[in-house]
Amino acid sequence: MKKCIIILLILIPGLSLAQSNIREIVFTHLSSTELLVGETLHFKSYLQSEQTGKLSELSRILYVEILNASGSPVHQTKLEINSGQCAGSFFVPTDLETGNYQFVAYTRWMKNFDEFFHESLTIINPYINQKFQQAPVLEMNVQIAVEGERLLSNAKNKIVIRVTDQFQRGISTKGKVVSNKERESIEVATDEFGFSSFYITPDFDESYQLILEKDHGFEFIDLPKPCKDCIQFRVIQTADLWVVKSISSNPEDFTQGQVEVFKNQESVFSSPIVLNSALSIHKNDLPNGLLRLVYIDDEGKGRERLIWNKGAQPDENQSFGIYKTKSTVVEEFSALPAANLSISVEQVDTRREALGIFWYREVGSKIDQSLPHSFYQMATENQLDNLLLASNYTGGLENPEKVKYLPEYRSGIVQGQVTNRENETMIDVPVGLAFSGINRQMSVTTTDSSGRFVLTYDLEVSDGEPVIDILSEVPNVEISIEPEYYVSYPEFTNIPVVFDSVKVAAIVKRSINNQIMNAYYVEETEGSTKAYRPQFDQVKSYKLDDFTRFNTMRDTFIELIVEVGVSKNEEKYEFKMRSKELVNGFYEEYPTLLLLDGAFVSSEDLMNLSPYLVDRIDVINHKYYFGKSIFDGILSVHTVAKDKGGIASKGINIDLVPVQINDKSVTVQVTQEVNLKIPTYQDLLYWDPAVYHTGGPLQLDFSTSDVKGMFEIRVEGISIDGNALSQRAYFTVE
């Protein structure tokens, strides 16, 4: 087990002892994937253990971004995760241009593995004049995959092709495979997702060419050349078995190799195999879902392919019939286990192609192919195998030796490094993080042997202005802060938004409906849920209105604050705390920590503050410990206006994206008020991100609006046992 994992096990109670159980995966259920400006996107995120599937409690903050086509963020927020779940919303502002965007979500811990969830969003702004490009000329990309990775001469080989456009959408086309030896050609026809497979038995000196039809002419692609002296492995599926065959160009070669099967990063099966023989593995001896089957030859070289081991997800497309406008819908899904669920009901032009939580977790997040939801619903056993043969595994293969980002298990984290101007690391330097504002908090630590530091903050009172400072007299130092979010992402596939007359008419109608609903919208006002919390305990407070006010802060301290002494040397003020330890004979002195409205402040700025702006002065006159950092006491000054009296904080201001209030309790539902003649033009009829289903049939009860068309009911969730659940149904409103 890696050293970094052992340390984390000590620091974080409840983290599984299994090294393979440290990775997290995020799935987000979006209420819609196409929005107009002025509408609200609702979302529910599930944080799971990659290994067990159960809701994870390792991280407490979810980082969310919405990126434009160039990869720049147009919105950033953070959500507090409770027991592996959180929910939020995003009001689409009217300054966003029409285009495709990416919704991205991840935890700080996931950054160690370069992992994140993303899903495409289409945002339409009918109020801005924009130049829209015409439908692009589609390109043809052809991918060829050979089972076992090598084309073996004089043996039967399975070949999979996938034909896509430049946006990774499958292209349905026809063609043939021809040989230079003038054998009978093999007819090829790709399905709507671009897949086709066929078998060939080539001679060593034989070459093959794939000829595909395209809009104007043909595409010619050379197949891989056969090898004469190599090893290939094939996998054959029966009702109960996986049969692995290792085949050599030399039929008399009986060299021993090894077959190993992995679920995520965990080995779940291992067995020797002799060349030119077969190994049978019972499906019941392997976990369900996506597996990596690796063949390792006698030289230690491995080659692999992906397999899907039974357990197909019951991801049904039910039909609930026809309803009238402003009517009640009462329907029932088939029995589901006890689970945490989220439910959306939205009007759709076509059936949504976003992956459900099951297929995203098991396959979509771990391969380099992009397939719509409909593929997994209708895929045959052979089609699914074709997908896996043509795919590379992109899930993390190994855990890193070291991690850079700690999980935000109990609180928020700010990480950084202290160096001098020669870029040398500074060791054992005290560093502090302070929040000013109504609720104030502070965190202090010291730098490690690499000059790095980790500071924490309480999410519930993190609404002030954060500042970081060096809390000792160390000259010529620089502080660098690790960014909260990813600095860059891989290039996403963004399909251009193309409009036709039907699409334009639908947008105009929807825009009018949206403006009507916004005109009748009444914002609910709620008091703040964040209660005031004192920054320190056991303080002695001096409220200046209770005393005669003096003209200067120096006189105020000299005459009123008996626990503190103020000295001046060459225009530099110094505070000396008359601590209890000093009085009792402990003469080792430490600095006094100075705060103004919760922020760090220099002694000179504090002395230049007008005492008429001060409400009270809090004093702690005993040694105060922050880890390895020690202070003789704390002097905390509070202004009446809580604005630091116009004095800038000491240190560097940092930009921490605020934590959004968790919207798990926020629901959206059309209400039918008979006595109120209020229009109901909602496209989103129902949204509930916090459904706890106790098991059995899932009952649905909601109302339709004045909007007509096809509606999708989408249910996503995680069972108590860690199984992913996805259900969809459709109905029509006339």
Side-chain angles (χ1 to χ4, degrees):
M1 188 175 289
K2 306 290 191 296
K3 289 184 179 179
C4 65
I5 306 304
I6 295 175
I7 294 172
L8 284 171
L9 294 177
I10 296 172
L11 295 177
I12 306 174
L15 184 62
S16 171
L17 294 176
Q19 182 180 343
S20 59
N21 193 28
I22 65 169
R23 300 174 92 103
E24 297 173 320
I25 186 170
V26 168
F27 174 82
T28 301
H29 175 187
L30 305 180
S31 64
S32 177
T33 54
E34 182 178 288
L35 299 112
L36 300 185
V37 295
E39 295 181 337
T40 298
L41 171 69
H42 300 275
F43 55 91
K44 164 71 176 290
S45 293
Y46 299 90
L47 180 65
Q48 304 167 262
S49 160
E50 185 184 59
Q51 187 67 24
T52 67
K54 293 184 178 181
L55 294 171
S56 170
E57 297 191 12
L58 179 59
S59 294
R60 197 180 166 193
I61 298 180
L62 184 74
Y63 292 79
V64 172
E65 294 188 89
I66 295 179
L67 311 175
N68 60 21
S70 63
S72 300
V74 299
H75 175 70
Q76 291 180 325
T77 189
K78 294 186 296 196
L79 291 168
E80 183 177 359
I81 304 170
N82 294 311
S83 301
Q85 302 175 84
C86 60
S89 59
F90 167 62
F91 178 80
V92 184
T94 57
D95 59 350
L96 292 186
E97 294 185 350
T98 297
N100 276 307
Y101 294 76
Q102 293 289 332
F103 180 99
V104 181
Y106 52 89
T107 64
R108 187 183 188 87
W109 178 248
M110 290 171 64
K111 291 176 69 176
N112 293 302
F113 312 100
D114 294 325
E115 295 172 343
F116 53 86
F117 168 89
H118 73 98
E119 187 168 325
S120 294
L121 283 175
T122 298
I123 294 177
I124 298 172
N125 191 336
Y127 313 115
I128 296 179
N129 291 326
Q130 295 175 244
K131 275 190 174 183
F132 299 114
Q133 63 186 73
Q134 296 179 341
V137 176
L138 297 182
E139 303 170 4
M140 178 181 284
N141 301 313
V142 182
Q143 177 188 359
I144 299 175
V146 179
E147 183 178 19
E149 300 182 10
R150 303 292 299 273
L151 196 63
L152 184 61
S153 61
N154 301 312
K156 187 178 182 181
N157 297 264
K158 183 178 181 180
I159 297 178
V160 174
I161 66 170
R162 189 180 185 212
V163 184
T164 60
D165 61 20
Q166 66 267 43
F167 306 113
Q168 299 185 24
R169 298 176 299 189
I171 295 176
S172 179
T173 186
K174 295 185 296 183
K176 59 180 60 178
V177 176
V178 297
S179 165
N180 66 337
K181 292 196 172 182
E182 298 183 355
R183 297 191 189 187
E184 184 178 349
S185 62
I186 302 171
E187 299 293 328
V188 173
T190 59
D191 59 26
E192 63 181 290
F193 304 104
F195 287 106
S196 182
S197 61
F198 53 89
Y199 292 88
I200 60 174
T201 306
D203 294 331
F204 170 68
D205 58 350
E206 192 171 12
S207 62
Y208 285 86
Q209 193 170 56
L210 172 65
I211 306 172
L212 290 175
E213 297 178 2
K214 58 181 184 179
D215 289 341
H216 304 288
F218 299 91
E219 185 85 8
F220 297 85
I221 305 102
D222 292 329
L223 267 59
K225 293 187 178 299
C227 63
K228 189 175 182 180
D229 186 19
C230 61
I231 297 171
Q232 185 212 64
F233 79 97
R234 289 184 57 202
V235 179
I236 301 170
Q237 181 175 188
T238 69
D240 302 315
L241 300 173
W242 290 102
V243 181
V244 182
K245 289 186 175 183
S246 62
I247 306 167
S248 170
S249 52
N250 179 8
E252 301 301 322
D253 189 351
F254 301 107
T255 306
Q256 181 173 293
Q258 189 82 7
V259 170
E260 195 155 8
V261 181
F262 293 86
K263 175 72 173 180
N264 298 323
Q265 289 78 46
E266 181 182 1
S267 176
V268 294
F269 178 87
S270 182
S271 174
I273 186 173
V274 176
L275 267 179
N276 297 302
S277 68
L279 171 68
S280 296
I281 309 173
H282 283 274
K283 289 183 176 180
N284 290 337
D285 292 338
L286 298 176
N288 290 347
L290 184 69
L291 305 174
R292 288 189 299 121
L293 191 150
V294 182
Y295 172 78
I296 305 170
D297 62 24
D298 62 319
E299 296 180 352
K301 296 179 180 177
R303 61 198 71 175
E304 67 179 53
R305 63 158 291 180
L306 302 174
I307 61 174
W308 177 258
N309 191 48
K310 60 179 183 175
Q313 165 72 359
D315 193 358
E316 305 172 9
N317 257 359
Q318 300 182 50
S319 177
F320 285 162
I322 300 174
Y323 287 86
K324 295 181 179 180
T325 58
K326 291 187 176 180
S327 64
T328 301
V329 178
V330 179
E331 294 287 358
E332 179 179 284
F333 277 103
S334 55
L336 296 174
N340 292 285
L341 303 173
S342 51
I343 303 173
S344 63
V345 182
E346 188 201 16
Q347 193 271 329
V348 294
D349 297 324
T350 58
R351 299 191 175 194
R352 297 290 190 206
E353 292 290 12
L355 286 187
I357 188 171
F358 176 85
W359 288 112
Y360 175 82
R361 186 183 78 179
E362 290 293 331
V363 181
S365 63
K366 298 174 183 176
I367 65 173
D368 60 352
Q369 300 280 346
S370 177
L371 272 298
H373 177 76
S374 57
F375 171 84
Y376 295 97
Q377 286 190 308
M378 65 176 64
T380 64
E381 193 175 87
N382 183 61
Q383 284 177 309
L384 187 56
D385 193 53
N386 287 344
L387 164 65
L388 299 182
L389 271 174
S391 301
N392 292 314
Y393 188 79
T394 57
L397 299 183
E398 292 184 1
N399 292 318
E401 290 290 336
K402 293 189 287 186
V403 293
K404 183 176 183 179
Y405 303 100
L406 296 177
E408 290 167 309
Y409 178 64
R410 291 192 178 94
S411 57
I413 287 178
V414 177
Q415 290 181 232
Q417 187 177 31
V418 178
T419 58
N420 60 22
R421 291 181 180 175
E422 286 72 41
N423 203 31
E424 298 170 332
T425 57
M426 304 294 290
I427 303 172
D428 286 333
V429 174
V431 185
L433 167 68
F435 285 80
S436 58
I438 296 177
N439 285 302
R440 297 154 189 174
Q441 58 173 310
M442 188 176 66
S443 173
V444 177
T445 188
T446 53
T447 58
D448 63 13
S449 59
S450 299
R452 298 188 178 277
F453 60 85
V454 177
L455 294 161
T456 62
Y457 61 91
D458 188 342
L459 303 182
E460 295 185 12
V461 291
S462 60
D463 51 355
E465 298 176 1
V467 63
I468 286 182
D469 192 28
I470 303 298
L471 303 181
S472 64
E473 296 295 330
V474 182
N476 302 326
V477 296
E478 296 183 0
I479 304 174
S480 58
I481 307 297
E482 289 289 344
E484 290 189 280
Y485 292 83
Y486 279 114
V487 176
S488 62
Y489 293 90
E491 186 175 351
F492 294 111
T493 300
N494 284 305
I495 302 174
V497 181
V498 179
F499 296 95
D500 55 24
S501 57
V502 175
K503 183 76 171 177
V504 170
I507 291 172
V508 170
K509 184 176 181 180
R510 182 173 170 182
S511 176
I512 293 171
N513 291 344
N514 184 41
Q515 292 178 66
I516 293 173
M517 293 308 301
N518 284 338
Y520 281 89
Y521 176 70
V522 178
E523 184 176 1
E524 295 181 6
T525 57
E526 295 182 0
S528 173
T529 59
K530 296 183 177 181
Y532 169 76
R533 296 186 183 184
Q535 189 173 9
F536 302 106
D537 296 325
Q538 300 178 346
V539 300
K540 182 177 181 180
S541 289
Y542 291 84
K543 192 170 179 62
L544 297 196
D545 279 348
D546 295 339
F547 303 91
T548 300
R549 285 187 179 267
F550 296 90
N551 291 329
T552 66
M553 288 296 291
R554 182 177 184 181
D555 290 341
T556 300
F557 279 104
I558 292 174
E559 299 296 334
L560 298 183
I561 316 298
V562 297
E563 292 86 358
V564 182
V566 182
S567 62
K568 183 179 180 182
N569 182 18
E570 297 180 356
E571 300 301 322
K572 184 177 181 180
Y573 290 96
E574 185 177 3
F575 287 89
K576 290 289 185 181
M577 183 67 67
R578 300 184 180 101
S579 65
K580 296 177 182 179
E581 291 84 358
L582 188 64
V583 173
N584 292 331
F586 298 98
Y587 294 102
E588 186 172 0
E589 294 186 5
Y590 297 94
T592 298
L593 181 62
L594 305 179
L595 299 172
L596 176 60
D597 283 336
F600 303 120
V601 64
S602 68
S603 55
E604 286 72 28
D605 283 341
L606 193 57
M607 285 294 96
N608 290 329
L609 180 68
S610 169
Y612 297 100
L613 301 177
V614 176
D615 174 44
R616 73 178 195 277
I617 299 174
D618 292 341
V619 178
I620 297 177
N621 70 324
H622 59 77
K623 288 219 171 10
Y624 210 95
Y625 297 85
F626 289 96
K628 294 167 61 176
S629 299
I630 305 174
F631 299 94
D632 268 342
I634 298 175
L635 187 62
S636 182
V637 177
H638 304 261
T639 64
V640 175
K642 301 179 177 60
D643 60 357
K644 294 177 288 189
I647 293 176
S649 300
K650 181 173 176 284
I652 59 172
N653 291 301
I654 60 173
D655 293 325
L656 289 181
V657 174
V659 179
Q660 184 179 140
I661 296 175
N662 203 321
D663 284 351
K664 278 183 64 178
S665 60
V666 174
T667 60
V668 176
Q669 189 167 4
V670 175
T671 57
Q672 303 297 340
E673 298 288 352
V674 178
N675 297 325
L676 295 178
K677 295 181 179 180
I678 296 177
T680 56
Y681 288 114
Q682 294 97 319
D683 291 277
L684 182 65
L685 302 184
Y686 186 80
W687 167 256
D688 192 342
V691 177
Y692 180 74
H693 181 58
T694 57
L698 177 63
Q699 303 283 343
L700 297 177
D701 186 348
F702 57 89
S703 298
T704 63
S705 66
D706 287 307
V707 176
K708 299 179 181 179
M710 182 171 68
F711 286 78
E712 178 191 66
I713 304 173
R714 184 177 173 191
V715 179
E716 304 287 352
I718 301 292
S719 74
I720 302 304
D721 296 329
N723 295 316
L725 304 172
S726 295
Q727 297 284 329
R728 301 192 194 202
Y730 295 86
F731 64 93
T732 302
V733 176
E734 294 182 347

